[in-house]
PDB file of all heavy atoms in Angstrom:
ATOM      1  N   ARG H   1      10.251 -16.329 -34.983  1.00 53.00           N
ATOM      2  CA  ARG H   1      11.633 -16.740 -35.323  1.00 53.00           C
ATOM      3  C   ARG H   1      12.701 -15.967 -34.472  1.00 53.00           C
ATOM      4  O   ARG H   1      13.933 -16.247 -34.615  1.00 53.00           O
ATOM      5  CB  ARG H   1      11.875 -16.340 -36.854  1.00 53.00           C
ATOM      6  CG  ARG H   1      10.969 -17.153 -37.737  1.00 53.00           C
ATOM      7  CD  ARG H   1      11.429 -16.982 -39.214  1.00 53.00           C
ATOM      8  NE  ARG H   1      10.467 -17.246 -40.194  1.00 53.00           N
ATOM      9  CZ  ARG H   1       9.862 -18.339 -40.411  1.00 53.00           C
ATOM     10  NH1 ARG H   1       9.985 -19.327 -39.608  1.00 53.00           N
ATOM     11  NH2 ARG H   1       8.914 -18.427 -41.401  1.00 53.00           N
ATOM     12  N   GLU H   2      12.305 -15.173 -33.552  1.00 59.00           N
ATOM     13  CA  GLU H   2      13.250 -14.443 -32.740  1.00 59.00           C
ATOM     14  C   GLU H   2      13.476 -15.049 -31.413  1.00 59.00           C
ATOM     15  O   GLU H   2      14.177 -14.542 -30.571  1.00 59.00           O
ATOM     16  CB  GLU H   2      12.741 -13.024 -32.574  1.00 59.00           C
ATOM     17  CG  GLU H   2      12.590 -12.197 -33.820  1.00 59.00           C
ATOM     18  CD  GLU H   2      11.959 -10.876 -33.674  1.00 59.00           C
ATOM     19  OE1 GLU H   2      11.972 -10.349 -32.548  1.00 59.00           O
ATOM     20  OE2 GLU H   2      11.304 -10.359 -34.606  1.00 59.00           O
ATOM     21  N   LEU H   3      12.875 -16.260 -31.124  1.00 55.00           N
ATOM     22  CA  LEU H   3      13.163 -16.929 -29.857  1.00 55.00           C
ATOM     23  C   LEU H   3      14.581 -17.431 -29.845  1.00 55.00           C
ATOM     24  O   LEU H   3      15.122 -17.809 -30.872  1.00 55.00           O
ATOM     25  CB  LEU H   3      12.194 -18.071 -29.737  1.00 55.00           C
ATOM     26  CG  LEU H   3      10.736 -17.736 -29.548  1.00 55.00           C
ATOM     27  CD1 LEU H   3       9.842 -19.021 -29.573  1.00 55.00           C
ATOM     28  CD2 LEU H   3      10.441 -16.914 -28.222  1.00 55.00           C
ATOM     29  N   PRO H   4      15.128 -17.495 -28.635  1.00 64.00           N
ATOM     30  CA  PRO H   4      16.513 -18.022 -28.562  1.00 64.00           C
ATOM     31  C   PRO H   4      16.595 -19.427 -29.028  1.00 64.00           C
ATOM     32  O   PRO H   4      15.654 -20.190 -28.883  1.00 64.00           O
ATOM     33  CB  PRO H   4      16.764 -17.864 -26.988  1.00 64.00           C
ATOM     34  CG  PRO H   4      15.851 -16.892 -26.511  1.00 64.00           C
ATOM     35  CD  PRO H   4      14.593 -16.932 -27.409  1.00 64.00           C
ATOM     36  N   GLN H   5      17.709 -19.740 -29.585  1.00 68.00           N
ATOM     37  CA  GLN H   5      17.914 -21.139 -30.200  1.00 68.00           C
ATOM     38  C   GLN H   5      17.750 -22.214 -29.052  1.00 68.00           C
ATOM     39  O   GLN H   5      18.084 -21.967 -27.904  1.00 68.00           O
ATOM     40  CB  GLN H   5      19.287 -21.276 -30.717  1.00 68.00           C
ATOM     41  CG  GLN H   5      19.512 -20.370 -31.939  1.00 68.00           C
ATOM     42  CD  GLN H   5      18.604 -20.786 -33.155  1.00 68.00           C
ATOM     43  OE1 GLN H   5      18.297 -21.971 -33.277  1.00 68.00           O
ATOM     44  NE2 GLN H   5      18.254 -19.835 -33.992  1.00 68.00           N
ATOM     45  N   GLY H   6      17.118 -23.328 -29.431  1.00 69.00           N
ATOM     46  CA  GLY H   6      17.006 -24.483 -28.459  1.00 69.00           C
ATOM     47  C   GLY H   6      15.747 -24.486 -27.679  1.00 69.00           C
ATOM     48  O   GLY H   6      15.524 -25.513 -27.029  1.00 69.00           O
ATOM     49  N   LEU H   7      14.971 -23.464 -27.662  1.00 71.00           N
ATOM     50  CA  LEU H   7      13.715 -23.449 -26.819  1.00 71.00           C
ATOM     51  C   LEU H   7      12.585 -24.231 -27.510  1.00 71.00           C
ATOM     52  O   LEU H   7      11.787 -24.866 -26.834  1.00 71.00           O
ATOM     53  CB  LEU H   7      13.212 -22.082 -26.451  1.00 71.00           C
ATOM     54  CG  LEU H   7      14.016 -21.313 -25.425  1.00 71.00           C
ATOM     55  CD1 LEU H   7      13.394 -19.913 -25.145  1.00 71.00           C
ATOM     56  CD2 LEU H   7      14.130 -22.122 -24.197  1.00 71.00           C
ATOM     57  N   ASN H   8      12.586 -24.254 -28.838  1.00 71.00           N
ATOM     58  CA  ASN H   8      11.615 -25.060 -29.601  1.00 71.00           C
ATOM     59  C   ASN H   8      10.171 -24.775 -29.137  1.00 71.00           C
ATOM     60  O   ASN H   8       9.443 -25.716 -28.748  1.00 71.00           O
ATOM     61  CB  ASN H   8      11.975 -26.605 -29.491  1.00 71.00           C
ATOM     62  CG  ASN H   8      11.248 -27.354 -30.532  1.00 71.00           C
ATOM     63  OD1 ASN H   8      10.820 -26.762 -31.601  1.00 71.00           O
ATOM     64  ND2 ASN H   8      11.181 -28.613 -30.404  1.00 71.00           N
ATOM     65  N   LEU H   9       9.761 -23.543 -29.057  1.00 76.00           N
ATOM     66  CA  LEU H   9       8.466 -23.155 -28.508  1.00 76.00           C
ATOM     67  C   LEU H   9       7.485 -22.887 -29.757  1.00 76.00           C
ATOM     68  O   LEU H   9       7.423 -21.834 -30.253  1.00 76.00           O
ATOM     69  CB  LEU H   9       8.517 -21.978 -27.690  1.00 76.00           C
ATOM     70  CG  LEU H   9       9.283 -22.113 -26.384  1.00 76.00           C
ATOM     71  CD1 LEU H   9       9.419 -20.770 -25.690  1.00 76.00           C
ATOM     72  CD2 LEU H   9       8.644 -23.138 -25.487  1.00 76.00           C
ATOM     73  N   GLY H  10       6.804 -23.958 -30.135  1.00 81.00           N
ATOM     74  CA  GLY H  10       5.812 -23.822 -31.210  1.00 81.00           C
ATOM     75  C   GLY H  10       6.415 -23.554 -32.627  1.00 81.00           C
ATOM     76  O   GLY H  10       7.542 -23.723 -32.876  1.00 81.00           O
ATOM     77  N   ARG H  11       5.495 -23.130 -33.551  1.00 86.00           N
ATOM     78  CA  ARG H  11       5.839 -22.886 -34.891  1.00 86.00           C
ATOM     79  C   ARG H  11       4.915 -21.843 -35.483  1.00 86.00           C
ATOM     80  O   ARG H  11       3.820 -21.612 -34.885  1.00 86.00           O
ATOM     81  CB  ARG H  11       5.786 -24.193 -35.708  1.00 86.00           C
ATOM     82  CG  ARG H  11       4.383 -24.788 -35.672  1.00 86.00           C
ATOM     83  CD  ARG H  11       4.266 -26.031 -36.490  1.00 86.00           C
ATOM     84  NE  ARG H  11       2.992 -26.711 -36.434  1.00 86.00           N
ATOM     85  CZ  ARG H  11       1.873 -26.204 -36.893  1.00 86.00           C
ATOM     86  NH1 ARG H  11       1.766 -25.098 -37.477  1.00 86.00           N
ATOM     87  NH2 ARG H  11       0.717 -26.920 -36.717  1.00 86.00           N
ATOM     88  N   ALA H  12       5.153 -21.357 -36.653  1.00 86.00           N
ATOM     89  CA  ALA H  12       4.220 -20.481 -37.319  1.00 86.00           C
ATOM     90  C   ALA H  12       2.961 -21.246 -37.720  1.00 86.00           C
ATOM     91  O   ALA H  12       3.019 -22.363 -38.103  1.00 86.00           O
ATOM     92  CB  ALA H  12       4.907 -19.855 -38.565  1.00 86.00           C
ATOM     93  N   VAL H  13       1.866 -20.493 -37.686  1.00 87.00           N
ATOM     94  CA  VAL H  13       0.576 -21.142 -38.047  1.00 87.00           C
ATOM     95  C   VAL H  13       0.493 -21.119 -39.551  1.00 87.00           C
ATOM     96  O   VAL H  13       0.890 -20.156 -40.210  1.00 87.00           O
ATOM     97  CB  VAL H  13      -0.609 -20.300 -37.482  1.00 87.00           C
ATOM     98  CG1 VAL H  13      -1.903 -20.871 -37.908  1.00 87.00           C
ATOM     99  CG2 VAL H  13      -0.529 -20.281 -35.914  1.00 87.00           C
ATOM    100  N   THR H  14      -0.003 -22.225 -40.135  1.00 90.00           N
ATOM    101  CA  THR H  14      -0.100 -22.393 -41.566  1.00 90.00           C
ATOM    102  C   THR H  14      -1.402 -21.649 -42.053  1.00 90.00           C
ATOM    103  O   THR H  14      -2.277 -21.485 -41.297  1.00 90.00           O
ATOM    104  CB  THR H  14      -0.141 -23.820 -42.042  1.00 90.00           C
ATOM    105  OG1 THR H  14      -1.338 -24.358 -41.603  1.00 90.00           O
ATOM    106  CG2 THR H  14       0.976 -24.596 -41.505  1.00 90.00           C
ATOM    107  N   ALA H  15      -1.407 -21.348 -43.371  1.00 90.00           N
ATOM    108  CA  ALA H  15      -2.605 -20.745 -43.946  1.00 90.00           C
ATOM    109  C   ALA H  15      -3.844 -21.579 -43.809  1.00 90.00           C
ATOM    110  O   ALA H  15      -4.969 -21.103 -43.557  1.00 90.00           O
ATOM    111  CB  ALA H  15      -2.340 -20.380 -45.442  1.00 90.00           C
ATOM    112  N   ASP H  16      -3.615 -22.935 -43.992  1.00 90.00           N
ATOM    113  CA  ASP H  16      -4.779 -23.846 -43.860  1.00 90.00           C
ATOM    114  C   ASP H  16      -5.304 -23.930 -42.426  1.00 90.00           C
ATOM    115  O   ASP H  16      -6.514 -24.045 -42.215  1.00 90.00           O
ATOM    116  CB  ASP H  16      -4.323 -25.299 -44.272  1.00 90.00           C
ATOM    117  CG  ASP H  16      -4.217 -25.461 -45.795  1.00 90.00           C
ATOM    118  OD1 ASP H  16      -4.805 -24.577 -46.499  1.00 90.00           O
ATOM    119  OD2 ASP H  16      -3.535 -26.373 -46.242  1.00 90.00           O
ATOM    120  N   GLU H  17      -4.393 -23.805 -41.478  1.00 88.00           N
ATOM    121  CA  GLU H  17      -4.861 -23.824 -40.057  1.00 88.00           C
ATOM    122  C   GLU H  17      -5.688 -22.501 -39.698  1.00 88.00           C
ATOM    123  O   GLU H  17      -6.642 -22.596 -39.064  1.00 88.00           O
ATOM    124  CB  GLU H  17      -3.673 -23.931 -39.096  1.00 88.00           C
ATOM    125  CG  GLU H  17      -3.003 -25.276 -39.166  1.00 88.00           C
ATOM    126  CD  GLU H  17      -1.716 -25.302 -38.453  1.00 88.00           C
ATOM    127  OE1 GLU H  17      -0.924 -24.332 -38.368  1.00 88.00           O
ATOM    128  OE2 GLU H  17      -1.362 -26.416 -37.901  1.00 88.00           O
ATOM    129  N   ILE H  18      -5.213 -21.412 -40.248  1.00 87.00           N
ATOM    130  CA  ILE H  18      -5.968 -20.125 -40.085  1.00 87.00           C
ATOM    131  C   ILE H  18      -7.373 -20.280 -40.729  1.00 87.00           C
ATOM    132  O   ILE H  18      -8.330 -19.914 -40.156  1.00 87.00           O
ATOM    133  CB  ILE H  18      -5.175 -18.986 -40.626  1.00 87.00           C
ATOM    134  CG1 ILE H  18      -3.924 -18.750 -39.787  1.00 87.00           C
ATOM    135  CG2 ILE H  18      -5.987 -17.746 -40.694  1.00 87.00           C
ATOM    136  CD1 ILE H  18      -2.984 -17.740 -40.292  1.00 87.00           C
ATOM    137  N   LYS H  19      -7.346 -20.778 -41.989  1.00 83.00           N
ATOM    138  CA  LYS H  19      -8.599 -20.925 -42.741  1.00 83.00           C
ATOM    139  C   LYS H  19      -9.632 -21.804 -41.976  1.00 83.00           C
ATOM    140  O   LYS H  19     -10.780 -21.539 -41.971  1.00 83.00           O
ATOM    141  CB  LYS H  19      -8.317 -21.472 -44.068  1.00 83.00           C
ATOM    142  CG  LYS H  19      -9.579 -21.551 -44.988  1.00 83.00           C
ATOM    143  CD  LYS H  19      -9.168 -22.050 -46.366  1.00 83.00           C
ATOM    144  CE  LYS H  19     -10.487 -22.145 -47.233  1.00 83.00           C
ATOM    145  NZ  LYS H  19     -10.163 -22.628 -48.591  1.00 83.00           N
ATOM    146  N   ALA H  20      -9.148 -22.816 -41.332  1.00 81.00           N
ATOM    147  CA  ALA H  20     -10.029 -23.750 -40.568  1.00 81.00           C
ATOM    148  C   ALA H  20     -10.713 -22.990 -39.443  1.00 81.00           C
ATOM    149  O   ALA H  20     -11.826 -23.338 -39.020  1.00 81.00           O
ATOM    150  CB  ALA H  20      -9.290 -24.904 -40.080  1.00 81.00           C
ATOM    151  N   TRP H  21     -10.098 -22.019 -38.833  1.00 80.00           N
ATOM    152  CA  TRP H  21     -10.662 -21.317 -37.710  1.00 80.00           C
ATOM    153  C   TRP H  21     -11.342 -19.964 -38.161  1.00 80.00           C
ATOM    154  O   TRP H  21     -12.009 -19.338 -37.384  1.00 80.00           O
ATOM    155  CB  TRP H  21      -9.624 -21.054 -36.687  1.00 80.00           C
ATOM    156  CG  TRP H  21      -9.407 -22.233 -35.841  1.00 80.00           C
ATOM    157  CD1 TRP H  21      -8.448 -23.176 -35.986  1.00 80.00           C
ATOM    158  CD2 TRP H  21     -10.202 -22.679 -34.733  1.00 80.00           C
ATOM    159  NE1 TRP H  21      -8.607 -24.224 -35.064  1.00 80.00           N
ATOM    160  CE2 TRP H  21      -9.725 -23.951 -34.322  1.00 80.00           C
ATOM    161  CE3 TRP H  21     -11.382 -22.217 -34.113  1.00 80.00           C
ATOM    162  CZ2 TRP H  21     -10.258 -24.633 -33.313  1.00 80.00           C
ATOM    163  CZ3 TRP H  21     -11.909 -22.916 -33.016  1.00 80.00           C
ATOM    164  CH2 TRP H  21     -11.356 -24.097 -32.588  1.00 80.00           C
ATOM    165  N   ASP H  22     -11.109 -19.498 -39.347  1.00 83.00           N
ATOM    166  CA  ASP H  22     -11.636 -18.280 -39.825  1.00 83.00           C
ATOM    167  C   ASP H  22     -13.047 -18.506 -40.405  1.00 83.00           C
ATOM    168  O   ASP H  22     -13.294 -18.516 -41.632  1.00 83.00           O
ATOM    169  CB  ASP H  22     -10.708 -17.693 -40.955  1.00 83.00           C
ATOM    170  CG  ASP H  22     -11.219 -16.293 -41.358  1.00 83.00           C
ATOM    171  OD1 ASP H  22     -11.943 -15.665 -40.629  1.00 83.00           O
ATOM    172  OD2 ASP H  22     -10.719 -15.859 -42.435  1.00 83.00           O
ATOM    173  N   ILE H  23     -14.017 -18.752 -39.566  1.00 86.00           N
ATOM    174  CA  ILE H  23     -15.334 -19.165 -39.927  1.00 86.00           C
ATOM    175  C   ILE H  23     -16.378 -18.079 -39.500  1.00 86.00           C
ATOM    176  O   ILE H  23     -17.608 -18.359 -39.546  1.00 86.00           O
ATOM    177  CB  ILE H  23     -15.722 -20.536 -39.376  1.00 86.00           C
ATOM    178  CG1 ILE H  23     -15.725 -20.564 -37.832  1.00 86.00           C
ATOM    179  CG2 ILE H  23     -14.785 -21.595 -39.989  1.00 86.00           C
ATOM    180  CD1 ILE H  23     -16.298 -21.793 -37.260  1.00 86.00           C
ATOM    181  N   SER H  24     -16.009 -16.954 -39.062  1.00 90.00           N
ATOM    182  CA  SER H  24     -16.909 -15.937 -38.595  1.00 90.00           C
ATOM    183  C   SER H  24     -17.954 -15.451 -39.649  1.00 90.00           C
ATOM    184  O   SER H  24     -17.486 -15.201 -40.794  1.00 90.00           O
ATOM    185  CB  SER H  24     -16.181 -14.748 -37.901  1.00 90.00           C
ATOM    186  OG  SER H  24     -15.428 -15.113 -36.865  1.00 90.00           O
ATOM    187  N   ILE H  25     -19.145 -15.365 -39.236  1.00 93.00           N
ATOM    188  CA  ILE H  25     -20.183 -14.899 -40.215  1.00 93.00           C
ATOM    189  C   ILE H  25     -20.723 -13.586 -39.678  1.00 93.00           C
ATOM    190  O   ILE H  25     -21.235 -13.481 -38.543  1.00 93.00           O
ATOM    191  CB  ILE H  25     -21.363 -15.907 -40.276  1.00 93.00           C
ATOM    192  CG1 ILE H  25     -20.845 -17.276 -40.736  1.00 93.00           C
ATOM    193  CG2 ILE H  25     -22.469 -15.396 -41.267  1.00 93.00           C
ATOM    194  CD1 ILE H  25     -20.267 -17.367 -42.008  1.00 93.00           C
ATOM    195  N   PRO H  26     -20.557 -12.491 -40.439  1.00 93.00           N
ATOM    196  CA  PRO H  26     -21.031 -11.155 -40.027  1.00 93.00           C
ATOM    197  C   PRO H  26     -22.586 -11.035 -40.243  1.00 93.00           C
ATOM    198  O   PRO H  26     -23.213 -11.892 -40.784  1.00 93.00           O
ATOM    199  CB  PRO H  26     -20.263 -10.181 -40.872  1.00 93.00           C
ATOM    200  CG  PRO H  26     -20.103 -10.962 -42.194  1.00 93.00           C
ATOM    201  CD  PRO H  26     -19.922 -12.416 -41.807  1.00 93.00           C
ATOM    202  N   PRO H  27     -23.131  -9.989 -39.720  1.00 93.00           N
ATOM    203  CA  PRO H  27     -24.673  -9.785 -39.884  1.00 93.00           C
ATOM    204  C   PRO H  27     -25.019  -9.896 -41.346  1.00 93.00           C
ATOM    205  O   PRO H  27     -26.142 -10.315 -41.652  1.00 93.00           O
ATOM    206  CB  PRO H  27     -24.873  -8.380 -39.338  1.00 93.00           C
ATOM    207  CG  PRO H  27     -23.820  -8.188 -38.321  1.00 93.00           C
ATOM    208  CD  PRO H  27     -22.585  -8.894 -38.855  1.00 93.00           C
ATOM    209  N   SER H  28     -24.265  -9.489 -42.326  1.00 93.00           N
ATOM    210  CA  SER H  28     -24.579  -9.521 -43.657  1.00 93.00           C
ATOM    211  C   SER H  28     -24.752 -10.939 -44.200  1.00 93.00           C
ATOM    212  O   SER H  28     -25.394 -11.149 -45.234  1.00 93.00           O
ATOM    213  CB  SER H  28     -23.541  -8.877 -44.594  1.00 93.00           C
ATOM    214  OG  SER H  28     -22.342  -9.616 -44.593  1.00 93.00           O
ATOM    215  N   GLY H  29     -24.232 -11.929 -43.513  1.00 94.00           N
ATOM    216  CA  GLY H  29     -24.267 -13.317 -43.943  1.00 94.00           C
ATOM    217  C   GLY H  29     -23.184 -13.705 -44.936  1.00 94.00           C
ATOM    218  O   GLY H  29     -23.100 -14.902 -45.392  1.00 94.00           O
ATOM    219  N   ALA H  30     -22.209 -12.825 -45.157  1.00 94.00           N
ATOM    220  CA  ALA H  30     -21.106 -13.166 -46.018  1.00 94.00           C
ATOM    221  C   ALA H  30     -20.314 -14.346 -45.478  1.00 94.00           C
ATOM    222  O   ALA H  30     -20.041 -14.408 -44.240  1.00 94.00           O
ATOM    223  CB  ALA H  30     -20.203 -11.974 -46.137  1.00 94.00           C
ATOM    224  N   GLY H  31     -20.148 -15.316 -46.341  1.00 93.00           N
ATOM    225  CA  GLY H  31     -19.338 -16.497 -45.911  1.00 93.00           C
ATOM    226  C   GLY H  31     -20.218 -17.642 -45.370  1.00 93.00           C
ATOM    227  O   GLY H  31     -19.582 -18.651 -44.928  1.00 93.00           O
ATOM    228  N   LEU H  32     -21.510 -17.524 -45.408  1.00 96.00           N
ATOM    229  CA  LEU H  32     -22.380 -18.628 -44.919  1.00 96.00           C
ATOM    230  C   LEU H  32     -22.097 -19.858 -45.765  1.00 96.00           C
ATOM    231  O   LEU H  32     -22.013 -19.769 -47.007  1.00 96.00           O
ATOM    232  CB  LEU H  32     -23.834 -18.211 -45.022  1.00 96.00           C
ATOM    233  CG  LEU H  32     -24.388 -17.456 -43.855  1.00 96.00           C
ATOM    234  CD1 LEU H  32     -25.818 -16.888 -44.310  1.00 96.00           C
ATOM    235  CD2 LEU H  32     -24.540 -18.288 -42.622  1.00 96.00           C
ATOM    236  N   PRO H  33     -21.910 -21.040 -45.155  1.00 96.00           N
ATOM    237  CA  PRO H  33     -21.726 -22.193 -45.887  1.00 96.00           C
ATOM    238  C   PRO H  33     -23.014 -22.676 -46.585  1.00 96.00           C
ATOM    239  O   PRO H  33     -24.129 -22.378 -46.079  1.00 96.00           O
ATOM    240  CB  PRO H  33     -21.221 -23.268 -44.893  1.00 96.00           C
ATOM    241  CG  PRO H  33     -21.897 -22.714 -43.638  1.00 96.00           C
ATOM    242  CD  PRO H  33     -21.962 -21.290 -43.712  1.00 96.00           C
ATOM    243  N   PRO H  34     -22.940 -23.383 -47.649  1.00 97.00           N
ATOM    244  CA  PRO H  34     -24.181 -23.954 -48.236  1.00 97.00           C
ATOM    245  C   PRO H  34     -24.720 -24.979 -47.222  1.00 97.00           C
ATOM    246  O   PRO H  34     -23.981 -25.588 -46.548  1.00 97.00           O
ATOM    247  CB  PRO H  34     -23.687 -24.621 -49.516  1.00 97.00           C
ATOM    248  CG  PRO H  34     -22.248 -24.767 -49.398  1.00 97.00           C
ATOM    249  CD  PRO H  34     -21.784 -23.727 -48.449  1.00 97.00           C
ATOM    250  N   GLY H  35     -26.034 -25.144 -47.297  1.00 98.00           N
ATOM    251  CA  GLY H  35     -26.680 -26.128 -46.450  1.00 98.00           C
ATOM    252  C   GLY H  35     -28.087 -25.653 -46.104  1.00 98.00           C
ATOM    253  O   GLY H  35     -28.543 -24.581 -46.376  1.00 98.00           O
ATOM    254  N   SER H  36     -28.785 -26.579 -45.435  1.00 98.00           N
ATOM    255  CA  SER H  36     -30.147 -26.254 -44.953  1.00 98.00           C
ATOM    256  C   SER H  36     -30.652 -27.227 -43.898  1.00 98.00           C
ATOM    257  O   SER H  36     -30.045 -28.265 -43.702  1.00 98.00           O
ATOM    258  CB  SER H  36     -31.140 -26.380 -46.132  1.00 98.00           C
ATOM    259  OG  SER H  36     -31.251 -27.701 -46.562  1.00 98.00           O
TER     260      SER H  36
END
């Protein structure tokens, strides 16, 4: 929000957009999706 007026460079990322890319699975397996 601190960009000079008129440059129109992007926007803030939404929570849903972050969630779609937040798919990392650690060694423990936490967050594995169901499936087989």
Side-chain angles (χ1 to χ4, degrees):
R1 297 192 202 300
E2 298 171 26
L3 292 172
Q5 294 295 330
L7 287 182
N8 197 20
L9 296 174
R11 61 174 173 73
V13 179
T14 69
D16 286 340
E17 289 169 330
I18 292 171
K19 184 177 179 181
W21 281 96
D22 187 16
I23 61 170
S24 294
I25 305 297
S28 69
L32 277 167
S36 66

